[in-house]
Amino acid sequence: QVQLVESGGGTVQAGGSLTLSCAASVSISSINRMEWHRQAPGKQREFVASIRSGGFTTYVDSVKGRFTASRDHDKNMMYLQMNSLKPEDTAVYYCRAVISDSDYWGQGTQVTVSS
């Protein structure tokens, strides 16, 4: 069983920055793909960013150029650096890990961007 714990959420003004962290209970070298997703009130959960073996990253268009996903293999951590935050980035952010045919989710961390 893989456990993921997100942290780093909070309230920030528009234009500000936050860095989210996701701690994995296993070596992230064993994880095929790690992702960030978010769910705003009244909306479906949406993909935000992913980082794969080798460090290859992908992003949803709405965050390109503002968000950066990264990993630290020594600490078994994944990060999401979020800059130039907008009110529409307000959501609960979730970490997801994909290992073979299984996936695992964290409990989420709230990000609120005030205008």
Side-chain angles (χ1 to χ4, degrees):
Q1 187 74 9
V2 178
Q3 292 184 331
L4 302 171
V5 179
E6 302 96 335
S7 61
T11 300
V12 64
Q13 288 189 330
S17 299
L18 280 175
T19 300
L20 304 183
S21 301
C22 173
S25 62
V26 299
S27 170
I28 63 171
S29 297
S30 67
I31 300 175
N32 302 111
R33 186 171 74 250
M34 297 188 77
E35 301 175 345
W36 288 99
H37 294 249
R38 66 186 180 186
Q39 187 166 17
K43 296 187 177 181
Q44 289 188 329
R45 192 173 298 189
E46 67 168 349
F47 167 83
V48 176
S50 71
I51 184 164
R52 301 183 181 186
S53 301
F56 182 74
T57 54
T58 57
Y59 301 92
V60 67
D61 285 347
S62 60
V63 308
K64 284 181 180 177
R66 300 189 298 123
F67 291 10
T68 303
S70 62
R71 298 178 305 182
D72 185 327
H73 285 264
D74 292 336
K75 297 181 179 179
N76 294 324
M77 298 283 289
M78 179 177 66
Y79 304 98
L80 185 67
Q81 174 68 43
M82 306 186 295
N83 298 325
S84 302
L85 283 161
K86 304 175 181 180
E88 51 264 43
D89 294 319
T90 295
V92 177
Y93 284 71
Y94 298 89
C95 173
R96 177 184 184 230
V98 178
I99 302 176
S100 297
D101 296 329
S102 299
D103 68 337
Y104 306 88
W105 292 85
Q107 83 290 346
T109 186
Q110 175 71 47
V111 172
T112 302
V113 184
S114 60
S115 57

